[in-house]
Amino acid sequence: MTQQVPAIEVKNLTVSYGPVPALLDVSLSIEPGQLVGIIGPNGSGKSTFIKSLLGFVKPDFGDVLLFGEDAEKAKGRVAYVPQRGSVDWDFPITVGEVALMGRYGKQPWWRELSSEDHDIAEHALEQVRMADYRHRQIGQLSGGQQQRVFMARAIAQGGDILLLDEPFAGVDAATEKAILDVLESTRETGRTLVVVHHDLATASEYFDALVLLKQRLFAHGTPEQVMHPELLSEVYEGTLRIFASLQNEAAAGGDG
Ligand SMILES: Nc1ncnc2c1ncn2[C@@H]1O[C@H](COP(=O)(O)OP(=O)(O)O)[C@@H](O)[C@H]1O
Ligand SMILES: [Mg+2]
């Protein structure tokens, strides 16, 4: 077996905004072509982890390597779909323009986008099944449709690594399935996907590997390795009991 360079390698990563670190001494590596879920309770550092890979936050300590290179150097190989709440939806821009935004970073500012850029953006919209909406204002779409348009922008960027922060948050079941299909077909193109995910009920089913974070790295491995009740109850503490009882309620109410 040939040894390949990890898509992502994080060594002793420590990040803080204030006196308490949001991430403490996190080390892990992710092989290319994997669909990886990041789980952990609210405030456990999931978004901070993603932002560290993008170079948006500066580590106090530690290194981030992308394909063996300094994250700064490999920046052009990473595309990002932010958490939906962090985007201004009143901004007057169409679906087609959002997808095209994925192409702007690829060339010098003085050059117009080529017809190839337009084709790539259009193809990305087709992949997420949003091409028919290309002239719509982004603010007029449902949450799930907006999410898919932002995935198209990231796909159009052509990065080898796609980072998505809670893409399933607040979408209906049909959209969740559509988004999962896009993630899986994107993985088939050989890209590496790292996805922040808040739903423990679907984590095993959706991902090749899981990363369990709460300030520190608690586990990283196959879903079977990570989804251990004792480990989860340690990390989620009281919140998991609430989660479990919600699940029971939902199951009890499901047939009524
Ligand atoms: N910009 C910021 N300024 C100050 N504190 C922050 C900032 N962003 C995140 N934090 C804090 O860092 C911790 C981790 O946050 P975050 O990475 O957003 O967690 P998660 O995405 O898992 O909910 C939390 O305690 C949060 O309050
Ligand atoms: Mg977050």
Side-chain angles (χ1 to χ4, degrees):
M1 212 171 87
T2 52
Q3 193 68 38
Q4 56 185 351
V5 181
I8 296 167
E9 192 172 8
V10 170
K11 296 187 215 167
N12 307 109
L13 181 68
T14 300
V15 179
S16 44
Y17 302 98
V20 182
L23 291 173
L24 185 60
D25 201 29
V26 172
S27 298
L28 61 87
S29 60
I30 292 171
E31 298 308 314
Q34 287 224 304
L35 174 52
V36 179
I38 309 284
I39 57 173
N42 277 337
S44 63
K46 302 182 297 297
S47 295
T48 301
F49 180 76
I50 296 285
K51 287 173 186 167
S52 305
L53 300 180
L54 288 156
F56 288 178
V57 294
K58 232 184 146 38
D60 303 340
F61 190 77
D63 297 300
V64 175
L65 297 177
L66 306 176
F67 297 103
E69 283 191 318
D70 214 57
E72 186 63 29
K73 261 191 167 165
K75 221 156 62 179
R77 299 178 73 172
V78 186
Y80 171 52
V81 180
Q83 223 166 325
R84 220 157 43 79
S86 63
V87 178
D88 174 11
W89 298 110
D90 291 332
F91 196 76
I93 185 167
T94 66
V95 165
E97 287 164 341
V98 172
L100 269 178
M101 279 163 65
R103 301 304 304 163
Y104 278 106
K106 295 284 159 195
Q107 54 187 348
W109 57 267
W110 65 85
R111 204 180 299 151
E112 300 257 324
L113 291 177
S114 66
S115 64
E116 195 197 349
D117 289 315
H118 285 266
D119 289 347
I120 290 170
E122 180 67 17
H123 182 66
L125 283 177
E126 282 165 12
Q127 264 183 276
V128 301
R129 297 195 209 97
M130 287 300 294
D132 292 343
Y133 294 81
R134 65 178 74 74
H135 300 302
R136 286 276 199 96
Q137 294 287 316
I138 187 87
Q140 296 170 351
L141 304 179
S142 74
Q145 290 171 330
Q146 291 171 342
Q147 192 67 50
R148 281 189 281 159
V149 174
F150 274 80
M151 288 176 73
R153 182 183 68 163
I155 291 167
Q157 233 175 301
D160 298 307
I161 298 175
L162 246 69
L163 309 174
L164 299 96
D165 202 342
E166 300 210 19
F168 300 113
V171 304
D172 62 28
T175 306
E176 178 144 348
K177 177 79 178 72
I179 292 174
L180 185 64
D181 284 348
V182 177
L183 295 179
E184 286 172 344
S185 62
T186 305
R187 171 184 51 191
E188 258 129 59
T189 65
R191 290 177 173 131
T192 309
L193 295 105
V194 179
V195 181
V196 175
H197 191 60
H198 70 284
D199 182 11
L200 293 178
T202 51
S204 293
E205 186 191 334
Y206 288 2
F207 300 104
D208 304 325
L210 293 173
V211 171
L212 177 61
L213 277 183
K214 189 167 89 177
Q215 187 192 48
R216 290 172 177 275
L217 178 68
F218 276 72
H220 174 207
T222 63
E224 298 74 48
Q225 288 167 334
V226 175
M227 296 297 286
H228 263 291
E230 308 90 76
L231 189 58
L232 293 177
S233 61
E234 183 190 347
V235 171
Y236 283 81
E237 291 168 328
T239 55
L240 193 67
R241 212 167 314 129
I242 294 165
F243 164 79
S245 67
L246 284 175
Q247 289 284 100
N248 291 340
E249 274 172 40
D255 55 5

